[in-house]
Amino acid sequence: RGRKLLQWMLLLLLLGVGGYFLHQYTQRPDQATILEVNEEKVSISEAMVYYRLMELEFERMGSEKIWGLEILGLDPEQTALERVIESMIRIKAIKSSAGALNEKEKTELKSVAAGLAKLLGDEYCKQHYIDDEMLEKVVQENYLAYRYEAEATFLPGSNESEIQEKLRQTFARYDN
């Protein structure tokens, strides 16, 4: 009797776990979480913005033929993916300390996001459920992170070690 109960419990557990993963992978990319940084969820759509930018950067360095090559024993696709993840973690970790945007910055960054939309292209954005709001978020978070990093590095009396410690702690969560 106990064995039969254990079998049913295992079956229910497997169905529950399977249902969870099925639900995650059947969600639209803008709703499915691929990564969580400091309790902030990153959707597949947001990650695809970063990935496409990284693709463009790699292609600028080595042309579109770079994807079929192995350079110094490294696979460019795997390297790009790792850099995207590192970049998202870094930006999400730092931007929270950067303060808020003023109205002028918001306006200027809105036009930067429009330029990013053109760079990514309508087809890519539709395919990955990337909307204007998502692009504005990505642009604003990158701006805040880089602004904070620059201020902490170059302004007198600032503490660069604070950023390094915050990054070390955040990345330590993903090293396992």
Side-chain angles (χ1 to χ4, degrees):
R1 182 170 189 240
R3 185 173 170 92
K4 192 78 157 170
L5 180 62
L6 182 61
Q7 288 174 334
W8 276 105
M9 289 175 65
L10 279 171
L11 178 63
L12 289 174
L13 178 65
L14 288 172
L15 287 173
V17 170
Y20 169 78
F21 282 110
L22 181 62
H23 174 72
Q24 277 294 92
Y25 290 112
T26 58
Q27 286 182 321
R28 286 184 13 185
D30 58 332
Q31 298 168 345
T33 300
I34 193 170
L35 179 70
E36 197 169 310
V37 181
N38 296 338
E39 298 179 18
E40 180 180 349
K41 294 179 178 182
V42 179
S43 71
I44 293 172
S45 293
E46 183 176 353
M48 292 308 294
V49 173
Y50 285 91
Y51 189 76
R52 181 65 185 136
L53 292 172
M54 191 63 64
E55 279 182 328
L56 293 170
E57 181 181 328
F58 273 49
E59 289 171 4
R60 212 174 15 256
M61 292 185 302
S63 84
E64 290 181 15
K65 296 177 184 175
I66 193 167
W67 303 112
L69 304 175
E70 189 173 297
I71 303 166
L72 301 173
L74 299 173
D75 174 20
E77 291 173 354
Q78 182 65 32
T79 303
L81 183 59
E82 289 171 6
R83 286 184 57 190
V84 165
I85 292 169
E86 289 170 3
S87 179
M88 289 188 302
I89 292 170
R90 191 182 125 284
I91 286 164
K92 301 281 183 193
I94 295 174
K95 65 123 180 153
S96 61
S97 301
L101 296 169
N102 62 42
E103 289 307 312
K104 182 180 178 189
E105 288 171 323
K106 286 179 186 177
T107 302
E108 289 173 359
L109 293 175
K110 201 171 251 213
S111 68
V112 172
L116 178 56
K118 286 180 183 175
L119 178 67
L120 296 176
D122 288 338
E123 186 63 35
Y124 187 85
C125 289
K126 284 178 190 171
Q127 179 182 2
H128 297 288
Y129 295 90
I130 299 167
D131 59 15
D132 291 342
E133 185 179 320
M134 170 79 60
L135 294 173
E136 287 176 23
K137 176 184 181 225
V138 168
V139 168
Q140 288 177 0
E141 288 180 353
N142 274 270
Y143 176 80
L144 286 169
Y146 285 112
R147 182 182 72 184
Y148 181 76
E149 204 169 22
E151 289 172 355
T153 303
F154 300 113
L155 289 180
S158 62
N159 190 357
E160 184 179 4
S161 63
E162 179 182 319
I163 287 180
Q164 297 307 320
E165 180 59 22
K166 181 178 288 214
L167 288 174
R168 188 193 64 69
Q169 288 175 0
T170 303
F171 275 106
R173 293 184 206 133
Y174 299 95
D175 284 341
N176 296 332

